[in-house]
Amino acid sequence: EPCAPAEPVSEVSQRAQSYVARGLAVIPIPPRQKGPQVPGWQHLRLTEAQVPEYFSRDSNIGVLNGAASGGLVDIDLDCDEAVRAAAAFLPPTACQFGRASRRASHWEYRTAPALDRVVQFKDPDGAMLVEYRGSSRSQTMWPGSVHPSGEPVTFDAAGEPAPIAGAELLACVQRLAACALLARHWPTQGSRHAA
């Protein structure tokens, strides 16, 4: 007796499988959320065949940073000043993504040697400026997802993350954060000369 046809793999699962094929560790995230809910998600290492079991048609796709994804580091540009200055401070990379209201706000790299850490740079007022996310205990929502705002996350450049040493990349991010902080607080018209 013939078997029933298999249910077609969803677009979300296909996208997640393509990431696994690129050496990335994917984790399911509930629809329109940024954080995973699967217990022990930091240790989840799915094969392409396992992806459809974990991802629904409207799941978001998280990718583990750090060693879990071959030294992947996500540079998360959390303020407009960091997004505007990024190209002047960060090495070029063929993997960038964001959403309509904040294009190219994630720049991806593969680091060797890696720095297994998350480093956050904040304004003294508490606002996040930029994050260096290189720990396997951290994850980033990748294209194929829908941001909680309702905006789709899409690639600005869909190539491979650029290779770089972790310490060198962190130094670039430190300079970018300093620039973003200065730009946020630069004096207004009339007081620039004194500054």
Side-chain angles (χ1 to χ4, degrees):
E1 191 171 310
C3 295
E7 186 175 320
V9 176
S10 72
E11 286 184 35
V12 169
S13 288
Q14 288 176 355
R15 178 74 69 103
Q17 287 172 324
S18 76
Y19 294 156
V20 173
R22 289 171 68 174
L24 303 173
V26 298
I27 48 173
I29 300 175
R32 291 182 71 160
Q33 293 185 33
K34 293 171 73 173
Q37 301 296 315
V38 177
W41 59 266
Q42 300 94 332
H43 308 291
L44 193 61
R45 303 293 185 271
L46 300 178
T47 64
E48 287 181 61
Q50 291 172 316
V51 164
E53 299 171 35
Y54 285 81
F55 286 82
S56 68
R57 293 185 178 281
D58 55 356
S59 291
N60 279 342
I61 304 169
V63 171
L64 289 172
N65 298 309
S69 293
L72 185 73
V73 174
D74 170 49
I75 305 304
D76 184 359
L77 309 173
D78 285 301
C79 68
D80 291 337
E81 293 85 358
V83 171
R84 287 196 297 271
F89 291 92
L90 297 179
T93 182
C95 188
Q96 299 175 16
F97 54 86
R99 51 195 165 96
S101 63
R102 189 161 282 159
R103 300 271 15 118
S105 57
H106 292 267
W107 290 42
E108 305 301 307
Y109 298 90
R110 295 251 192 193
T111 58
L115 290 178
D116 181 24
R117 64 180 74 160
V118 172
V119 183
Q120 298 179 329
F121 298 91
K122 295 182 180 180
D123 188 306
D125 70 9
M128 189 68 69
L129 302 172
V130 61
E131 293 178 82
Y132 176 105
R133 294 201 237 170
S135 168
S136 294
R137 295 173 303 284
S138 67
Q139 61 85 30
T140 302
M141 186 174 61
W142 269 53
S145 301
V146 177
H147 189 269
S149 67
E151 294 177 305
V153 178
T154 59
F155 280 110
D156 296 286
E160 287 301 309
I164 186 172
E168 181 182 345
L169 180 58
L170 181 57
C172 294
V173 173
Q174 289 168 331
R175 289 190 288 272
L176 171 59
C179 174
L181 182 62
L182 285 171
R184 283 172 63 92
H185 295 284
W186 196 251
T188 57
Q189 188 84 24
S191 58
R192 290 182 184 159
H193 180 76

